[in-house]
């Protein structure tokens, strides 16, 4: 009779054979070697922190308005400015952001950063290299390394203070004379005859102003107040993160992210500088224990602390006693845009996923690469309806990468959360044991997690391989009616986790983008040739 490992090996071989043709066909821009990406490097001059160099162009001469200068907005401004576009960026607050998320850039995201010529933005900010993950469950742990063998030695994940990274990106963008960065709050989009012509905003002095451009790109983050005009937002808040910073301690595995499969939900640790470790405690639901009345401190010390590795216990308790506890809702929102002439959504304003896997910046940077390539041949952007029809291909071309990362984040979070249901417990244990097998069984999922090989079908195959592996564990060596029933519920539960996420992402766009008409949409000739 087959043991679970042999069963999993046979099943893995079968699914590899079935999926071979699909998996070897690269989607456009999904895997970029460091050598290829280095062709995009530039020699831009970096300005001092906080300096914003304005273009001498008048507002009417602006090609593109970007709302927001976070990771997506700043990276996009530099990318478009380097391509010769005149860009006006309007950001609500130009001081250094202080956030507890957006601090881990996966290797796939770093490759996109290199392709955009922004890899030096992770330098001189005490960023830490990340080479994989460590997974902890019930006193056991496994190390999962990123599959970096085929890449340049500089390619790895990076973790850092989010604010430092964003400030470096802003400096990089404003080093270009064609980029103007202004502090102001955009209050509304200017619409005329069904097309967006610009924005209305208040500058830092409180004056109400208008800015016009043939294309406005909204990148104002997860709390966007403009997205309702451009999409159908269905925002879900499955949990909240409670953030702390640990000092004077070392992680069990240096230069690795750590995921503790705790009760009721995961706990994350990763370095953000040479002396600091970020801890993110996931709390299910939209409410967290009160910080002001001491409930949060009690929860962290009595519920969370006993479940973390001993090496981090003292530093964790000290961080709780220090009192610098931050919270942030974890939002999930599928991309559901209204194609709108003159406007486009990008970043968290457009698409969000649970931050458990740290995939948000990878999706945003990948989207910018796709958008840059689409806009590159266009000389004029003033024909809004024609441009809108052409840019519908953006929503299709981005899907394989974005939907894979989004689906993985949502599915893993549900699998890793504790549950009284025995079938869900078996699924979580099966996932841990499956990854522990190593080789194909760990390299494939980690390739997906890292953004190095984001293939939708590969994700689905590995997900159900975990489920079938879990069933095999239940049925071997002797099946019983109870075990068969739990196994059936395990498969049903796995389907109930992943299929709704896939449906929300879009089945055709995710798995068969080539059958979507906009996939083949070429740049309009009249716009290419127009001077």
């Amino acid at each position: 009779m087959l043991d679970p490992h042999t069963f999993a090996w046979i099943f893995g071989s079968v699914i590899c054979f079935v999926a071979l043709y699909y998996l070897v066909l690269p989607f456009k821009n999904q895997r970029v070697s460091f050598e290829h990406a280095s062709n995009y490097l530039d020699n831009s001059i970096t300005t001092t922190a906080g300096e914003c160099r304005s273009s001498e162009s008048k507002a009417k001469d602006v090609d593109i308005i970007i709302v927001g200068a976070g990771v997506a907005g700043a990276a996009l401004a530099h990318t478009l400015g380097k391509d010769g576009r005149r860009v006006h960026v309007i950001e609500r607050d130009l001081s250094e952001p202080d956030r507890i998320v957006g601090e881990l850039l996966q290797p796939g995201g770093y490759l996109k950063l290199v392709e955009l010529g922004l890899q030096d933005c992770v330098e001189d900010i005490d960023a830490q290299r990340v080479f994989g993950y460590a997974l902890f469950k019930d006193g056991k742990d496994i190390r999962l390394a990123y599959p970096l063998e085929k890449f340049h030695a500089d390619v790895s994940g990076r973790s850092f203070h989010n604010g430092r990274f964003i400030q470096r990106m802003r400096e990089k963008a404003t080093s270009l004379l064609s980029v103007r960065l202004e502090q102001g709050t955009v209050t509304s989009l200017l619409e005329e005859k069904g097309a967006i012509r610009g924005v209305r905003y208040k500058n830092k002095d409180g004056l109400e102003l208008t800015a016009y451009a043939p294309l406005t790109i909204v990148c104002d983050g997860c709390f966007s107040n403009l997205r309702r005009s451009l999409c159908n937002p269905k925002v879900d808040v499955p949990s909240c993160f409670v953030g702390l910073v640990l000092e004077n301690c070392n992680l069990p595995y240096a230069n690795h992210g750590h995921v503790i499969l705790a009760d009721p939900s995961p706990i994350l640790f990763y370095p953000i500088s040479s002396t600091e470790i970020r801890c993110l405690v996931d709390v299910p639901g939209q409410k967290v224990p009160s910080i002001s009345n001491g409930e949060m401190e009690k929860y962290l010390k009595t519920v969370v602390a006993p479940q973390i590795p001993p090496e981090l216990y003292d530093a964790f308790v000290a961080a709780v006693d220090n009192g610098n506890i931050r919270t942030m809702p974890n939002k999930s929102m599928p991309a559901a845009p209204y194609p709108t002439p003159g406007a486009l959504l990008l970043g968290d304003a457009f698409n969000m996923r649970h931050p458990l896997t740290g995939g948000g910046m990878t999706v945003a940077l990948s989207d910018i690469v796709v958008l840059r390539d689409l806009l590159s041949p266009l000389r004029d952007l003033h024909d809004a309806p024609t441009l809108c029809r052409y840019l519908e291909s953006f929503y299709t071309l981005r899907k394989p990468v974005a939907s894979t990362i989004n689906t993985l984040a949502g599915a893993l979070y549900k699998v890793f959360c504790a549950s009284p249901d025995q079938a869900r417990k078996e699924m979580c244990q099966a996932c841990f044991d499956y990854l522990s097998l190593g080789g194909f069984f760990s390299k494939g999922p980690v390739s997906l997690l890292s953004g190095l090989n984001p293939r939708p079908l590969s994700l689905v195959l590995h997900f159900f391989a975990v489920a079938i592996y879990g069933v095999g564990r239940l049925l071997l060596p002797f099946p019983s009616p109870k075990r068969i029933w739990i196994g059936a519920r395990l498969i049903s539960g796995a389907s109930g986790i992943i299929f709704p996420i896939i449906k929300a992402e879009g089945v055709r766009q995710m798995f068969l983008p080539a059958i979507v008409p906009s996939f083949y949409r070429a740049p309009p000739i009249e716009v290419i040739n127009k001077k």
Side-chain angles (χ1 to χ4, degrees), residues 20 76 95 104 106 121 123 212 228 322 333 465:
L20 182 61
L76 181 64
S95 61
L104 178 61
Q106 297 287 3
C121 292
E123 298 173 2
Y212 297 91
R228 290 188 178 277
N322 186 45
M333 186 185 78

Side-chain angles (χ1 to χ4, degrees), residues 22-60:
Y22 181 88
L23 296 179
V24 299
L25 285 177
F27 281 105
K28 183 180 179 182
N29 294 327
Q30 283 192 332
R31 295 192 68 178
V32 182
S33 69
F34 184 88
E35 290 80 3
H36 173 73
S38 64
N39 293 332
Y40 293 90
L41 305 183
D42 72 342
N43 296 313
S44 299
I45 300 173
T46 304
T47 61
T48 57
E51 179 184 351
C52 301
R53 186 181 298 171
S54 298
S55 165
E56 295 180 358
S57 305
K58 296 181 180 180
K60 66 179 180 180

Side-chain angles (χ1 to χ4, degrees), residues 104 128-134 136 141 143 159 246-260 267-280 308-313 315-316:
L104 178 61
Q128 303 299 296
R129 299 188 69 180
V130 179
F131 298 107
Y133 277 86
F136 294 74
D141 62 85
R143 186 177 73 89
S159 54
L246 280 57
E247 299 178 335
N248 304 316
C249 66
N250 295 314
L251 289 164
Y253 294 91
N255 298 103
H256 282 67
H258 291 57
V259 182
I260 290 82
I267 306 166
L268 307 181
F269 293 93
Y270 51 87
I272 55 173
S273 75
S274 55
T275 60
E276 299 166 298
I277 294 171
R278 168 67 71 194
C279 171
L280 293 174
I308 69 174
E311 300 94 324
L312 300 172
Y313 181 86
F316 178 83

Side-chain angles (χ1 to χ4, degrees), residues 394-425:
F394 166 75
Y395 303 119
T396 302
L397 294 172
R398 69 177 295 273
K399 270 294 180 179
V401 173
S403 59
T404 301
I405 293 173
N406 295 344
T407 303
L408 178 64
L412 271 186
Y413 178 71
K414 291 185 178 181
V415 169
F416 284 170
C417 281
S419 171
D421 180 44
Q422 186 62 34
R424 288 284 293 274
K425 290 181 180 179

